[in-house]
Amino acid sequence: MSSSSVNLKAVPGRLTSSYSEVQASRLDVSLPLPSVLKSSFSVVDGPKSSAAGNPEEIAKLFPNLFGQPSAVLNPGGSSVLSKDTSLKIGVVLSGGQAPGGHNVISGIFDYLQHRTSGSTVYGFKGGPAGIMKGKYVELSAEFVYPYRNQGGFDMIASGRDKIETPEQFKQAEETAKTLDLDGLVVIGGDDSNTNACLLAEHFRGKNIKTLVIGCPKTIDGDLKSKEVPVSFGFDTACKLYSEMIGNVMTDARSTGKYYHFVRLMGRAASHITLECALETHPNITIIGEEVAAKKQTLKSVTDYITDIICKRSELGFNYGVILIPEGLIDFIPEVQQLIAELNEILAHDVVDEAGVWKKKLQSQSHELFEFLPPTIQEQLLLERDPHGNVQVAKIETEKMLLQMVETELDKRKQEGKYKRDFLGKTHFFGYEGRCGLPTNFDANYCYALGFGAGALLHSGKTGLISSVGNLAAPVEQWTVGGTALTSLMDVERRHGKFKPVIKKAMVELEGAPFKKFASFRDEWALKNRYVNPGPIQFLGPAANAINNTLLLELGAQA
Amino acid sequence: MSSSSVNLKAVPGRLTSSYSEVQASRLDVSLPLPSVLKSSFSVVDGPKSSAAGNPEEIAKLFPNLFGQPSAVLNPGGSSVLSKDTSLKIGVVLSGGQAPGGHNVISGIFDYLQHRTSGSTVYGFKGGPAGIMKGKYVELSAEFVYPYRNQGGFDMIASGRDKIETPEQFKQAEETAKTLDLDGLVVIGGDDSNTNACLLAEHFRGKNIKTLVIGCPKTIDGDLKSKEVPVSFGFDTACKLYSEMIGNVMTDARSTGKYYHFVRLMGRAASHITLECALETHPNITIIGEEVAAKKQTLKSVTDYITDIICKRSELGFNYGVILIPEGLIDFIPEVQQLIAELNEILAHDVVDEAGVWKKKLQSQSHELFEFLPPTIQEQLLLERDPHGNVQVAKIETEKMLLQMVETELDKRKQEGKYKRDFLGKTHFFGYEGRCGLPTNFDANYCYALGFGAGALLHSGKTGLISSVGNLAAPVEQWTVGGTALTSLMDVERRHGKFKPVIKKAMVELEGAPFKKFASFRDEWALKNRYVNPGPIQFLGPAANAINNTLLLELGAQA
């Protein structure tokens, strides 16, 4: 073993003796498996694959992997997978937490325990950096146990480093050789899975035996395709946020005097916001992708909200709940333009108190800047990242919209068009949703993803993402397989070079979830159709419910 | 019926057809009752009571009620309560929402259905204002049904008006006479129960037959006594907040780089913060009552937090969770002093940009003002209530403390005493906890409180607060009775007059909950003993757990 490798002591960071009753009750739950994973199976290849876009470029970037078929596990058949095989498998968590990550790892671990003999699983610590630095822990049944069906990524911790430079690929190669790795499972989002595929390509190109399989992780729900119907963690996160939103709705209705502006985590895409809307039926929901498609301005979004508030007031309702996606600002072209101009001006000029600097803004940007509430203007000018750029992510969009709505209502009040006092409250639901105990769905789904990843590695596959399908059916009927990562890719031009990317799946305005939302939102706006989803249940009739987005996309009733 | 009375149409505002699965699953749950309520019982008076303080003054304020005994329901015996009685009972919700209010109402309703015949329950709409304006709805089984075991107060809505002036008492009297009310149940906090007792006294003094019974409501947990072990809603709210805190802890541990500053609702008292600490084991918990007892300053609180962050950093932990009670600022004498001086100065002087006005501050207040982060200084100067006073409640204490800790860490870094980068996140958990689906405990407790209130009215009692005891035992063994409201009272001198008040129950530094917390906090600070309580469960082993505070105060193990 190379001296750079650090095998950390296999002591779990958690003590089950201090677990809450609910945590403890989840530890020994025996998870259902898709029936194909319960007895012998064969791994069958599909047709040759292509790419999501620019197949010629993807072919050039992945000469050894491009075109490889997706694989599916079929029950029975003459399995070539020997139980006598002994595999050395690494696993790594990459990027932000999502409920269920621990179950993917226990799925991989259990697969190897049941289907191979004498296999070893190494958990790389702290994300991809753990691969590069050779920092890992060897998993044992005792080590894995406290994390079964538990939230968080702390079993081996995650990280945001990427394996990008030639030196970093070399380091990963070293670790793979040192540990004699047969395979590596990368649990991550779009970037991490692109990275996994580059690593698979690298290993195959250099004739290194290490296979690489990805797993679709992100609460944001923006990593999905036909064969990968949903990323894990989305279900739990949406249900946690919806519990809180439902409570805030009940509060709004009971109190009768507050408008709650709720911003929801989820990065650029509005999947979480849309799902929470489908679960709870808020009065107003802003979907970033629609704002972009309709080329809306901040003013038009503000007017849309204000109009509904005024109409509700006429109906006697002076309260309500408004959902706002974290990524809203990124969808408004005029805001992007303003920020670009600000970055330029602030890099070269002094911002004088008297505001002479504003003359450097183009007229549309100047107008927008003046339209913004003073606190937001201040944030734009003062909060800068280390490169001197405006930190868009730090802008509290819910507070910004609340202030703009207040200003607009004041105006209408003076014009006699609105007569009430307006009281707003703001919320941001984010971190509390990334690490909850996984729902039954996420627990089962992740366990199957991990089991499937083990099967793919066992059968010699590389450059695939573990894919589990038919999710609207009972777990026993779920399908298990792997999708060629190159088939999910397109290229982007960066610094004059083509770079492979798995395109983020955004909310489709023609998709079933948005269409269902769009068909109901006017009713939800003026009538109060609030739903309180309540806390996530692990037992009882509601425990196995699946999120609306997934069901609708699968063509099932939601 | 007087023309001022408005019997609103008995149509529930909720449609069970649009309920979530969890909401629907709660509707038909058959709640266990204390066994004394399941068959015949007699109502037995205890000894003559006194007051919590200044009994002579309380006796003067309540000449008709002072000294009356508490009552307890005993099983069997020769009950004088006739099933043929037909009663007209009003019920009102007063003040902020607390999970379980709907169950109190259904308990009253069900008692009268089971134990009397032809009785009527009127729900006064929108709080005490509904009594004064004679706005009510007549409850029916169909009307009550959608609210069974559901959160919120929207069945009849609540309000914050008080019945205070002679005219208002007259209005309440009118309504009582118009509706021929035999009794009224006031569901509220300390102020509302004081008000209930004044109303009981008024009715008795004027020989009006309407009896008045109170019920202990508030998530804040600050309305309790020996016979009223807990206010309803506290259990659910603490469990909801603890779910979120537990998730944030798992996130902190997984990410390994954030300190989360979590402010918790709960008004002046720190019961909620203390209970959440006992449930989740955070690294740092500030208890307002302790800060006051130790006469701590903002600087010493900041140093306490910063010291632990530095020690944790030396141990390799650069993350953590810090709980802060909503009412913290009210406990710091120097802050109170500063605010008093600011109110005075701002009422008379101009705040000049150059800061000459600050010379009017006393030196200690001046020093404190300069110690505050600029955003908080600004809030103190700009956010004023309609009377021109600083709005202390609007100060985001969690952000203030975070900024002060950042400043202190920067200082220590320059001195070489701290070496890491510090990243903080802030949260406020409040509204999402007031209206959740009540836990099994709160659902059962409230139902028993309501049933008990019905029994007290049926037996002719007035001026009592419904009290259910022996809560650590199974529901069947709970005791049911009523405690003389005057026995909970003391007087306060306001505008030269004695006013009766039920003293808010603050966290007792010699009480079992605080002592348990104090004995563990050093361990929690430096070792990570996080507990993730998980979502509230309605089925399974964890579903019937009772909050730690109550168990410890009852002398039971928690």
Side-chain angles (χ1 to χ4, degrees), chain B residues 86-208:
Chain B
S86 161
L87 296 172
K88 297 200 181 73
I89 304 294
V91 59
V92 68
L93 293 163
S94 183
Q97 287 72 43
H102 288 148
N103 276 33
V104 177
I105 300 175
S106 45
I108 297 165
F109 183 82
D110 289 356
Y111 177 87
L112 294 170
Q113 292 280 49
H114 295 153
R115 297 294 187 120
T116 67
S117 56
S119 288
T120 311
V121 184
Y122 300 107
F124 289 105
K125 304 274 286 184
I131 302 177
M132 296 187 277
K133 295 181 196 159
K135 261 181 79 178
Y136 63 90
V137 61
E138 192 180 318
L139 306 190
S140 64
E142 296 68 36
F143 182 85
V144 170
Y145 178 73
Y147 302 94
R148 289 186 182 265
N149 302 310
Q150 309 293 318
F153 272 9
D154 50 308
M155 185 207 282
I156 55 175
S158 180
R160 295 194 180 272
D161 304 271
K162 284 183 192 167
I163 300 171
E164 282 182 313
T165 65
E167 296 73 39
Q168 290 170 327
F169 275 97
K170 188 81 196 147
Q171 288 173 331
E173 200 182 309
E174 281 299 319
T175 299
K177 282 181 185 162
T178 307
L179 291 177
D180 189 30
L181 280 190
D182 296 294
L184 172 68
V185 182
V186 176
I187 303 169
D190 50 348
D191 277 353
S192 307
N193 275 286
T194 304
N195 216 225
C197 195
L198 286 166
L199 208 55
E201 174 70 27
H202 180 85
F203 288 152
R204 177 153 292 181
K206 297 195 85 174
N207 249 328
I208 296 163

Side-chain angles (χ1 to χ4, degrees), chain A residues 326-456:
Chain A
E326 180 177 47
L328 176 62
I329 283 191
D330 291 323
F331 284 106
I332 303 180
E334 57 165 4
V335 178
Q336 289 309 309
Q337 174 65 26
L338 169 64
I339 287 166
E341 290 178 35
L342 283 176
N343 283 340
E344 193 60 30
I345 292 170
L346 294 169
H348 301 106
D349 299 295
V350 176
V351 173
D352 57 304
E353 283 273 339
V356 180
W357 68 272
K358 290 182 202 163
K359 290 191 182 150
K360 300 204 177 73
L361 289 170
Q362 292 185 20
S363 69
Q364 191 209 29
S365 292
H366 192 167
E367 206 174 297
L368 174 60
F369 189 82
E370 297 296 352
F371 177 63
L372 294 173
T375 48
I376 302 295
Q377 293 179 346
E378 215 165 284
Q379 266 184 334
L380 286 174
L381 296 178
L382 297 179
E383 299 265 11
R384 326 294 299 280
D385 71 12
H387 309 288
N389 290 324
V390 171
Q391 289 191 280
V392 183
K394 281 218 171 172
I395 295 173
E396 296 174 302
T397 327
E398 72 283 17
K399 293 195 176 165
M400 180 179 80
L401 281 176
L402 168 56
Q403 289 176 41
M404 294 192 304
V405 166
E406 276 174 344
T407 306
E408 177 62 25
L409 283 171
D410 279 347
K411 209 185 93 196
R412 296 193 190 186
K413 212 168 171 177
Q414 281 166 16
E415 295 165 359
K417 292 179 191 157
Y418 177 73
K419 293 177 174 62
R420 296 288 304 215
D421 290 324
F422 172 81
L423 292 169
K425 298 274 175 199
T426 58
H427 309 261
F428 172 51
F429 296 148
Y431 294 92
E432 54 273 62
R434 307 196 311 174
C435 280
L437 286 156
T439 56
N440 285 355
F441 172 77
D442 267 329
N444 296 337
Y445 180 52
C446 289
Y447 194 61
L449 283 172
F451 236 81
L456 294 171

